[in-house]
């Protein structure tokens, strides 16, 4: 995955984090399931469902396709969303 960031999603009293970025294998954006672990030194992460992610770039600015998904998701009034890493 490239051009990615971690979403912090707050809904009611729950807070979860998910990876959002550009999947170079499919040419589309990808949301992960909830993050279990992210290691910034190796730039790898795992999710609660067991998926493993290897990031080719550091977290930061989103790919335009991922940015559009983020912008659309932010329109949901019941959910508070922000990016974890500034760029």
């Amino acid at each position: 995955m490239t051009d990615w960031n971690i979403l912090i999603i707050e809904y009611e009293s729950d807070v979860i984090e998910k990876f959002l970025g550009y999947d170079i294998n499919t040419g589309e954006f990808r949301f992960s399931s909830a993050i279990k672990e992210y290691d910034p030194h190796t730039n790898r992460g795992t999710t609660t469902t067991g998926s493993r992610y290897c990031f080719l770039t550091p977290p930061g600015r989103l790919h335009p396709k991922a940015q559009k998904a983020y912008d659309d998701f932010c329109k949901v009034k019941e959910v508070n969303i922000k990016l974890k890493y500034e760029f």
Side-chain angles (χ1 to χ4, degrees):
M1 189 180 287
T2 65
D3 304 320
W4 68 282
N5 208 313
I6 292 176
L7 300 182
I8 301 171
I9 303 166
E10 299 176 35
Y11 176 69
E12 295 180 350
S13 62
D14 293 327
V15 177
I16 62 169
E17 295 184 351
K18 293 186 173 208
F19 299 120
L20 170 61
Y22 182 73
D23 184 336
I24 61 170
N25 295 315
T26 65
E28 296 297 328
F29 73 90
R30 180 170 180 171
F31 275 111
S32 75
S33 53
I35 296 171
K36 179 179 178 182
E37 180 179 57
Y38 170 65
D39 183 345
H41 300 313
T42 62
N43 215 25
R44 295 176 185 261
T46 57
T47 65
T48 56
T49 61
S51 295
R52 296 179 183 176
Y53 289 83
C54 176
F55 302 100
L56 302 176
T57 59
R61 187 175 306 277
L62 294 171
H63 183 277
K65 290 183 177 183
Q67 183 67 51
K68 177 163 181 3
Y70 173 76
D71 293 342
D72 289 345
F73 200 30
C74 285
K75 293 176 184 175
V76 178
K77 294 182 180 177
E78 297 82 19
V79 180
N80 184 29
I81 301 170
K82 61 184 174 183
L83 297 174
K84 186 169 190 171
Y85 296 99
E86 299 288 327
F87 55 90

